[in-house]
């Protein structure tokens, strides 16, 4: 198993700039309405962070490339929502009479929704679409989606980067101490997601 992993890592490195282009495209498509539901962006970022911890990829480059892809993907989603959102949504999912209430809500809580929505899997591909549909100011949207996108990309990449050695040791040796570390990390992640979900129920419509 260990030989297989170390034989695979140089192959990843040999792709060079292609890998970073793929990371960029992942960030773009992961942020697009509907399409993003089928791309496991969080898991991919953790995996890329693991490769970076082995020296095959550069963590700083991964962070800015992924963040740039997220910003561009969110911007596309924003403008699609702004120009096509109401026409698409009105007759299929939401009665037109509810749009006024949603507009009022988004005017008050749009910035928090854009930021927190980046960290909630099912909402992530739709939050930019919703911001555009409810005519949130683009520069305000851009600020919060940039901060949220950067923290999301950096957070999961660094998670894979700093805990790469522990995860690798567990899968290779099944050491009990490593299992304990991974179990604690898992509990922390579950706790964070539960907290975000609780906050979402009060902030995100």
């Amino acid at each position: 198993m260990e030989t297989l992993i170390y034989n695979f890592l140089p192959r990843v490195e040999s792709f060079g700039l292609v890998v970073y282009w793929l990371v960029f495209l992942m960030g773009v498509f992961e942020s697009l309405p509907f399409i993003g539901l089928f791309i496991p962006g969080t898991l991919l970022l953790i995996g890329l962070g693991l490769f970076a911890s082995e020296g095959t990829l550069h963590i700083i480059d991964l962070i800015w490339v992924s963040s740039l892809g997220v910003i561009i993907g969110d911007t596309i989603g924003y403008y699609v929502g702004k120009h096509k959102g109401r026409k698409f949504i009105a007759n299929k999912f939401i009665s037109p009479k509810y749009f006024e209430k949603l507009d009022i809500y988004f005017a008050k809580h749009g910035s928090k929704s854009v930021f927190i929505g980046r960290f909630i899997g099912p909402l992530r591909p739709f939050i930019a679409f919703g911001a555009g549909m409810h005519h949130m100011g683009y520069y305000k949207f851009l600020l919060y989606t940039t901060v949220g996108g950067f923290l999301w990309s950096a957070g999961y990449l660094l998670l894979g980067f700093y805990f790469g050695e522990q995860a690798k040791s567990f899968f290779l040796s099944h050491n009990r101490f490593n299992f304990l570390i991974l179990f604690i990390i898992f509990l922390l992640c579950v706790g964070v997601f539960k907290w975000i979900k609780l906050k979402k129920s009060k902030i995100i419509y």
Side-chain angles (χ1 to χ4, degrees), residues 71-88:
I71 294 167
I72 292 177
D74 279 346
T75 296
I76 294 173
Y78 172 88
Y79 280 107
V80 170
K82 183 176 182 179
H83 296 292
K84 303 292 183 180
R86 289 177 183 266
K87 184 178 179 180
F88 177 76

Side-chain angles (χ1 to χ4, degrees), residues 2 8 18 28-29 36 45 48 54 57 60 88 92 106 121 129 143 148 165 198:
E2 185 174 4
F8 180 70
V18 174
V28 172
F29 286 105
L45 288 179
L48 289 164
E54 295 292 339
L57 298 170
I60 300 300
F88 177 76
K92 295 179 176 65
F106 218 89
F129 181 87
L143 172 63
E165 285 298 321
L198 179 64

Side-chain angles (χ1 to χ4, degrees), residues 107-125:
K108 293 180 178 179
H109 306 292
S111 57
K112 291 182 287 188
S113 298
V114 168
F115 178 78
I116 295 177
R118 164 52 50 184
F119 299 91
I120 302 173
L123 281 178
R124 193 158 51 242

Side-chain angles (χ1 to χ4, degrees), residues 17 20 23 57-67 157:
L17 290 176
Y20 296 101
V23 173
L57 298 170
H58 299 284
I59 188 66
I60 300 300
D61 290 338
L62 287 174
I63 290 173
W64 76 260
V65 167
S66 175
S67 299
L157 282 166

Side-chain angles (χ1 to χ4, degrees), residues 151-177:
L151 292 177
W152 177 75
S153 296
Y156 285 111
L157 282 166
L158 291 173
L159 180 65
F161 183 83
Y162 286 114
F163 292 102
E165 285 298 321
Q166 286 82 352
K168 184 183 67 175
S169 297
F170 167 71
F171 287 114
L172 294 178
S173 67
H174 298 280
N175 184 283
R176 291 184 179 180
F177 178 72

Side-chain angles (χ1 to χ4, degrees), residues 7-202:
N7 284 338
F8 180 70
L9 290 176
R11 297 178 188 176
V12 174
E13 188 176 28
S14 66
F15 283 105
L17 290 176
V18 174
V19 175
Y20 296 101
W21 276 107
L22 291 175
V23 173
F24 169 78
L25 291 174
M26 181 207 72
V28 172
F29 286 105
E30 201 272 345
S31 303
L32 295 179
F34 300 104
I35 296 175
L37 291 173
F38 302 98
I39 300 177
T42 299
L43 293 176
L44 289 172
L45 288 179
I46 293 174
L48 289 164
L50 174 61
F51 284 125
S53 71
E54 295 292 339
T56 56
L57 298 170
H58 299 284
I59 188 66
I60 300 300
D61 290 338
L62 287 174
I63 290 173
W64 76 260
V65 167
S66 175
S67 299
L68 182 61
V70 165
I71 294 167
I72 292 177
D74 279 346
T75 296
I76 294 173
Y78 172 88
Y79 280 107
V80 170
K82 183 176 182 179
H83 296 292
K84 303 292 183 180
R86 289 177 183 266
K87 184 178 179 180
F88 177 76
I89 294 291
N91 298 322
K92 295 179 176 65
F93 302 103
I94 300 176
S95 173
K97 65 181 181 181
Y98 292 114
F99 273 115
E100 184 177 353
K101 294 181 179 179
L102 292 174
D103 286 339
I104 293 173
Y105 172 87
F106 218 89
K108 293 180 178 179
H109 306 292
S111 57
K112 291 182 287 188
S113 298
V114 168
F115 178 78
I116 295 177
R118 164 52 50 184
F119 299 91
I120 302 173
L123 281 178
R124 193 158 51 242
F126 299 102
I127 196 66
F129 181 87
M133 186 171 64
H134 296 294
H135 300 286
M136 182 179 181
Y138 175 68
Y139 291 107
K140 182 179 181 181
F141 163 79
L142 182 62
L143 172 63
Y144 284 94
T145 201
T146 298
V147 175
F150 173 80
L151 292 177
W152 177 75
S153 296
Y156 285 111
L157 282 166
L158 291 173
L159 180 65
F161 183 83
Y162 286 114
F163 292 102
E165 285 298 321
Q166 286 82 352
K168 184 183 67 175
S169 297
F170 167 71
F171 287 114
L172 294 178
S173 67
H174 298 280
N175 184 283
R176 291 184 179 180
F177 178 72
N178 291 329
F179 175 81
L180 178 61
I181 293 176
L182 289 178
F183 184 68
I184 292 173
I185 294 170
F186 173 78
L187 291 179
L188 289 174
C189 290
V190 170
V192 170
F193 281 122
K194 289 290 185 181
W195 179 82
I196 291 175
K197 187 175 181 180
L198 179 64
K199 296 289 289 184
K200 179 202 70 170
S201 65
K202 299 178 180 179

